[in-house]
Amino acid sequence: MLETLRKVFPTVSRLRFTVQMAMFFLMVWGSNVVGHYAADKISTALPALSCAYDKQHGSYCVLIPLQHQMHHRIGAAVVKAQQVTMQVVLPILLTMATFLAFFFVVGKAFCGWICPLGTVQELLNKVGRRFNRPLHRLQDGNLKKVRPAKWVMLLGLIFALPILAGVGIAPHGLSNPYCDVCPSRIVTTLLTADVEEIALKTGDSTRMLLNALGNIVAGFVVVAALAIRQPFCRICPMLSFNSLFQRLSPMRLSKVKHESCEKCGVCTQACPMDIPEIAREHGRKAYHEDCTLCGRCAEYCPQDGVIKLKWGPFALFSSSREYYKGRVKGELPDGTVKPVKFVKRGEANA
Amino acid sequence: MRSKVSTANSIATILLLGRLFISSASAAHDHQAPAAGNAERQGSAERAIQQESAGRGRTWTSAPLIAPAGRPGERNSANMVPVNLAGVGLQVYGADATQSPKNVPLEDGRWRFAPEPSAKGGHYWMQAAEVRGAETRTATTAWSFGTQGKSPAAMLAQAKGSLDIVPLRIPEHGGFREGTAWEFGVRYEGQPLPGAVLHLHTENGTRTRVVADAEGVAKVLFPRDFDPASFDKVAGADRTRRGFVLMTELEPEGRKFVTAFNHFYYPDTMRGRNLWAGAGLFVIGMLCAAPLLRHRERNNA
């Protein structure tokens, strides 16, 4: 049995790709299988950008109910403070409980293995690599600037603005501002042949501006993904939201100290989020808030047992020199592959 | 069988990505805000309509109706009034088809219904029947609470009266939309009624009829009959709605059944959107990223 599995999935990347594609079909067109009603869905609080505006989805993202609860429940309750009762608290607790129940099982692997927008960006980057487009990596200086953006997105767009809209301070058009700028809303609905979400909403000026921004962001992400790995994931509020709870899940990345790590750095090259800490640090610090648990660092670590993907005490995958040797034959750590025939082989990495 | 065909159609639709560039016809769906249910998304302007709708119903149709008449902001209960129907009780069916319907008496001209705390929310089916001699006039509607409940599939399949009109699917994302086609099943004594004639009346004045197919299913195309001047000034087209009713009659063995299903429909979402502007902005975003494909990064940071 184990041998058969090894033949079918010779690498962790192959297994992850298979899971990603299965989840992608489920997240984008899954209602044709699981059913159309909210009650039929796998979850309405999924820790991945499975867009609720996609009418054929099989499950949807936790950020939708959170924004609505901030707007309808908390905002309204602040206006009428005496109504802060279990009717306010309970729906939010239920959303969080559902989210945590899912999150407990695979943790931040929702980002690296399940999120449909993550899958789309990864597929686009593979196309870019095949066509020998340059690979732009974010290094220390740029990373420091970009990293806080995901927290600003979470606090500002998921929590603050919907509450302010519910209270009446901000315009009603800011009731679910994140969805208005989320590229998943446009990308996944287009995949279901639905042009409604790419069309600009013209009624409310606030919402129109947000939608305009969302369309520009979506267009930018689609092209940028050809040359930058996971461009939107770096500022995604789901990543920051998931990282708030990343220590609660038994699923995690584990790294032990090794003397060659400082000079090596192959794991950082392999990391689609360009996390330098995975090479520099060990222990808790190596499992960084930007990590999506894709497992590439473990795949490309040339040292036996240094980086592991673990679920509780169980090592699901452990780095090894033998595995590394086989892995680099098909694809270099930075994702460089043999380009398609009519594309000149050149410097892929800028 | 029908659901398999529907699934196959959906898959075929997915493959036709060329449709992406065809505008309104294929995009005439609702989707203002995708949370749990309709009530969750009702804006205050929309809720205010509810109180007036009962009165208006008497003027735009003679069909029996169950009209919402709740106050603005009502979230956990439903206030309904009978229209063109004498004082009778209301039967409310929950999503759990094994449970008996709840009888709600008419008090002060209203039916007041709130789901049990254990049942939370979700979809309910409401039905009120008045017997006038040999004639039975039945009004039906579907009601959705914001809190998510069970799937209504079993509730819709359940036989509730002698003559039933039942939508094959209750919309969860904003409602029926003009320009879109929805399927309704017509059943007599629980069996499909092929060839049944359904009369569609809308609050905007459309009068049309649809004939059920061999499986007792009528495909109803909601007319594009909204006047842009009638759109809600504050909330816009997305939150404007009008009532509609589907009515059918049957006269078996000297008896007469008149059954109606009423609900709301909304303007085509694309009325408040501009596809070309949206696509243009998307292309601008793509162009902004285009230099990343051409220029090699020199400093790597």
Side-chain angles (χ1 to χ4, degrees), chain B residues 104-130:
Chain B
V104 181
L106 188 68
E107 292 174 340
D108 304 328
R110 288 175 180 239
W111 293 301
R112 293 181 179 84
F113 170 72
E116 300 290 332
S118 58
K120 294 197 302 177
H123 302 279
Y124 289 83
W125 183 263
M126 296 176 172
Q127 178 168 301
E130 176 195 357

Side-chain angles (χ1 to χ4, degrees), chain A residues 38 53 195-196 200 207 347, chain B residues 20 29 31-32 172 274 296:
Chain A
Y53 285 89
V195 294
E196 206 172 273
L200 187 70
R207 186 155 269 171
E347 264 187 62
Chain B
L20 296 180
H29 294 279
H31 222 271
Q32 174 53 29
E172 283 194 326
N274 186 320
R296 299 295 164 97

Side-chain angles (χ1 to χ4, degrees), chain A residues 292-310:
Chain A
T292 61
L293 285 181
C294 69
R296 280 180 67 88
C297 55
E299 280 191 283
Y300 284 95
C301 175
Q303 303 299 336
D304 291 332
V306 170
I307 303 180
K308 291 175 183 170
L309 273 180
K310 293 180 82 173

Side-chain angles (χ1 to χ4, degrees), chain B residues 195-200 208-212 217-221 246-247:
Chain B
V197 177
L198 288 181
H199 297 271
L200 172 70
T208 187
R209 53 177 234 151
V210 188
V211 180
V217 174
K219 198 167 190 176
V220 177
L221 178 67
L246 281 167
M247 184 171 61

Side-chain angles (χ1 to χ4, degrees), chain B residues 11-52:
Chain B
I11 293 167
T13 306
I14 292 160
L15 298 173
L16 291 170
L17 287 178
R19 280 185 55 193
L20 296 180
F21 301 101
I22 299 171
S23 62
S24 59
S26 61
H29 294 279
D30 64 283
H31 222 271
Q32 174 53 29
N38 291 344
E40 182 82 26
R41 293 183 292 277
Q42 287 171 345
S44 57
E46 186 183 327
R47 289 190 202 104
I49 295 169
Q50 292 177 359
Q51 290 181 315
E52 299 171 19

Side-chain angles (χ1 to χ4, degrees), chain A residues 29 32-33 36-41 44 52-57 60 64-65 68-69 72-73 76 87 94 132-142 172 176 185-187 189-204 207-208 211-224 226-228 346-350, chain B residues 6-7 10-11 13-14 16-17 19-24 26-36 40-42 47 75-76 120 123 146-153 156 168-173 238-239 268-275 277-279 281-301:
Chain A
W29 300 289
N32 293 297
V33 179
H36 291 279
Y37 296 108
D40 296 328
K41 309 294 180 190
T44 52
Y53 285 89
D54 165 8
K55 299 180 191 74
Q56 296 183 34
H57 61 72
Y60 62 75
I64 280 273
H68 283 221
Q69 284 156 0
H72 293 293
R73 309 277 179 176
Q87 284 184 356
L94 281 173
N132 203 23
R133 292 298 88 205
L135 176 66
H136 300 279
R137 300 185 57 215
L138 294 186
Q139 296 193 345
D140 280 350
N142 288 340
H172 182 74
N176 57 338
R185 177 177 60 86
I186 292 171
V187 172
T189 54
L190 284 178
L191 288 167
T192 63
D194 179 0
V195 294
E196 206 172 273
E197 294 306 320
I198 197 174
L200 187 70
K201 287 177 188 167
T202 53
D204 176 275
R207 186 155 269 171
M208 184 171 75
N211 265 248
L213 182 63
N215 282 31
I216 293 171
V217 169
F220 185 90
V221 165
V222 165
V223 173
L226 293 163
I228 299 175
E347 264 187 62
N349 202 345
Chain B
S6 159
T7 306
S10 301
I11 293 167
T13 306
I14 292 160
L16 291 170
L17 287 178
R19 280 185 55 193
L20 296 180
F21 301 101
I22 299 171
S23 62
S24 59
S26 61
H29 294 279
D30 64 283
H31 222 271
Q32 174 53 29
E40 182 82 26
R41 293 183 292 277
Q42 287 171 345
R47 289 190 202 104
R75 185 181 292 275
N76 299 312
K120 294 197 302 177
H123 302 279
T147 316
Q148 187 178 314
K150 291 181 178 175
S151 165
L156 294 177
L168 296 196
R169 187 176 150 199
I170 297 174
E172 283 194 326
H173 293 158
D238 280 348
R239 304 280 174 167
D268 179 354
T269 316
M270 294 302 276
R271 279 183 186 256
R273 298 177 191 220
N274 186 320
L275 178 61
L281 289 163
F282 187 80
V283 172
I284 288 172
M286 295 174 88
L287 292 174
C288 289
L292 292 168
L293 305 181
R294 291 190 287 115
H295 301 296
R296 299 295 164 97
E297 199 173 59
R298 291 168 195 268
N299 298 326
N300 243 1

